[in-house]
Amino acid sequence: MIASLLPAPAVTAERFHDVPEPLGLFPEEERVVAGAVAGRRREFASVRACAREALGTLGLPPVPLLPGTKGAPRWPDGVVGSMTHCQGYRAAAVALREDFASIGCDAEPNAPLPSPGLLEAVSLPRERALLRELAARRPAVAWDRLLFSAKESVYKTWFPLTGRPLDFDEAVITPDPSAGTFRAELLVPGPVVNGVRITAFDGRWRVGNGLVVTAIALRPPEDTGSGRVPGPRTDAARPHDWRT
């Protein structure tokens, strides 16, 4: 599913089942989940199997992929990427930093958020108004969950560029139900990449196999050297507990 959301030369890998024992973890990774329950260990290993498969497609050798700041995965030098997992699905996307400034992806069940209170916590009033319109038009899509997933993808794109948290109310998501895209307008000063301030991220989404998947691939803008702040060149949420 995720491959259809990201442009080349980004590469992806996904699994709908966990890897069997032995889990194939590096010793450093084993230590990270040494005290975890079996299900957590399997998801940890399976998403890393996806990531190493994708890195192999880039011609890179398998390496330990350890959680860094705020749980964000630490990628090899010169690589950007993102991992995601939910019940029945694990996926990873990677690219060379020369091709993309950052990548974010997220997968969720295509089912409503557990409570109205959670939607209130992760969305803005104008987003909730739009979700009601979209739900009336396409009820098969869990739009509240898609919004949550899009904000998670925004956070995963944002954090490696800034090293700072981004609250749910600091970006407004506008999905396009026909094109399968979304725009995330940043409501706080965005990261500066190649001398250009990013003001929005553009992403893609897809629903299928009981899942909603979102992804963003941010290409490095050209440094204009003029001090202008143009929009981003793209192709295409807290609790941001990445748990990757």
Side-chain angles (χ1 to χ4, degrees):
M1 290 182 66
I2 195 172
S4 65
L5 301 182
L6 292 166
V11 295
T12 64
E14 64 186 3
R15 288 174 178 263
F16 293 89
H17 302 284
D18 282 329
V19 296
E21 298 279 357
L23 298 178
L25 292 172
F26 283 83
E28 304 95 314
E29 296 170 331
E30 283 279 6
R31 288 193 287 271
V32 172
V33 290
V37 299
R40 169 59 181 152
R41 286 172 50 80
R42 287 194 298 270
E43 84 178 7
F44 182 92
S46 298
V47 78
R48 276 158 178 76
C50 292
R52 283 191 266 272
E53 179 183 338
L55 289 169
T57 303
L58 289 180
L60 299 174
V63 295
L65 298 170
L66 302 175
T69 305
K70 301 292 185 180
R74 285 155 41 191
W75 298 100
D77 289 343
V79 172
V80 298
S82 184
M83 298 187 224
T84 186
H85 49 76
C86 68
Q87 185 173 0
Y89 186 73
R90 289 77 169 91
V94 298
L96 297 179
R97 191 178 300 278
E98 65 192 45
D99 295 316
F100 292 97
S102 190
I103 289 176
C105 65
D106 184 74
E108 303 285 336
N110 183 31
L113 289 170
S115 71
L118 181 53
L119 177 60
E120 293 275 341
V122 303
S123 64
L124 297 164
R126 57 176 146 165
E127 292 173 322
R128 293 194 291 273
L130 178 57
L131 293 186
R132 288 191 291 270
E133 295 177 14
L134 293 172
R137 292 163 56 187
R138 290 186 60 181
V141 177
W143 291 103
D144 57 347
R145 189 77 74 153
L146 190 149
L147 177 81
F148 179 85
S149 180
K151 292 204 174 187
E152 289 294 298
S153 286
V154 168
Y155 188 90
K156 292 178 181 181
T157 306
W158 161 280
F159 189 81
L161 298 173
T162 65
R164 303 193 309 270
L166 183 72
D167 286 330
F168 282 115
D169 62 359
E170 292 179 329
V172 57
I173 305 294
T174 306
D176 185 324
S178 300
T181 61
F182 65 89
R183 167 154 278 230
E185 177 190 353
L186 298 174
L187 303 180
V188 293
V192 175
V193 181
N194 289 357
V196 176
R197 186 170 298 281
I198 304 301
T199 59
F201 297 140
D202 290 307
R204 296 188 176 116
W205 61 268
R206 182 178 175 186
V207 169
N209 297 316
L211 303 167
V212 56
V213 182
T214 60
I216 297 168
L218 179 69
R219 290 190 185 275
E222 295 181 4
D223 186 352
T224 64
S226 64
R228 293 192 302 113
V229 184
R233 180 183 167 207
T234 57
D235 287 281
R238 269 174 0 191
H240 305 298
D241 176 12
W242 290 13
R243 287 177 57 82
T244 53

